[in-house]
Amino acid sequence: MSFVEVAPADWLATAQTLKSEDFGTLMAVDRISTQRIELWLRTKAGHEVMCAVPRDGSVLMDSLTSVWNEADWREREIHEMFGVTFIRVESNKPLYFAPDSILFQSFPLRRDVLLKSRNENEWPGTKDPTDASKSPSRRKSLPVGVDPEWTPERGGAL
């Protein structure tokens, strides 16, 4: 197994060198602290390739579907959930949300997106499930994307 970080311009060329290893998975991670979205490719042989792109969408990514057809679904998911745009038009088609949905074009898996359901539903880390009458002994935690000051009247969440 090996790991390599590549520039967006080298993304497709690197994937082509790994074509014989078969497609494993493709995923994205939002690194809000660095203002980048990382794309992670893993082959079935265990090689990992990471490419970081700006969150502002200024870099168009080459599609990996010319190397592996299986990458199509993942690219569509990454586009819809994180806002990474691929040069191949089909990779940018909606996968989960209808174009008239409030979630379409909101990129709900980005860490700076507040989701109404995250604020309204109890997060498992805030309460000890075995005893609802006592405070939990561990430190309370809130999930990413929850504004502790949010109320339904205030709005601002999807």
Side-chain angles (χ1 to χ4, degrees):
M1 289 203 282
S2 68
F3 166 78
V4 63
E5 182 174 349
V6 298
D10 300 326
W11 177 246
L12 182 59
T14 304
Q16 288 169 336
T17 64
L18 300 171
K19 182 177 183 170
S20 64
E21 297 185 13
D22 293 326
F23 180 78
T25 192
L26 177 63
M27 64 176 222
V29 177
D30 184 11
R31 303 283 185 203
I32 196 168
S33 60
T34 61
Q35 291 298 303
R36 301 183 326 168
I37 293 179
E38 295 175 356
L39 298 178
W40 287 81
L41 166 68
R42 184 179 175 111
T43 66
K44 287 189 178 176
H47 286 92
E48 294 178 343
V49 180
M50 191 275 286
C51 178
V53 296
R55 294 177 88 242
D56 64 8
S58 60
V59 174
L60 299 178
M61 291 300 298
D62 287 314
S63 173
L64 300 181
T65 56
S66 63
V67 181
W68 300 290
N69 288 332
E70 304 95 299
D72 177 63
W73 188 277
R74 294 295 186 181
E75 288 178 358
R76 290 174 65 194
E77 182 178 52
I78 288 169
H79 173 70
E80 195 165 8
M81 296 296 167
F82 292 93
V84 175
T85 304
F86 294 89
I87 292 172
R88 179 178 167 264
V89 174
E90 291 80 12
S91 295
N92 303 316
K93 287 184 179 177
L95 184 64
Y96 299 115
F97 308 122
D100 59 346
S101 166
I102 192 170
L103 292 173
F104 187 72
Q105 294 295 329
S106 68
F107 313 126
L109 290 184
R110 285 194 177 191
R111 292 180 180 247
D112 58 348
V113 173
L114 296 178
L115 297 178
K116 185 177 179 181
S117 62
R118 288 187 186 167
N119 284 294
E120 291 179 342
N121 296 328
E122 189 79 28
W123 181 250
T126 61
K127 186 172 161 184
D128 185 354
T130 60
D131 187 6
S133 65
K134 293 183 188 175
S135 296
S137 59
R138 62 181 184 245
R139 184 175 65 120
K140 292 182 178 183
S141 63
L142 292 173
V144 172
V146 170
D147 178 1
E149 307 294 321
W150 184 86
T151 62
E153 296 79 31
R154 191 171 133 213
L158 296 175

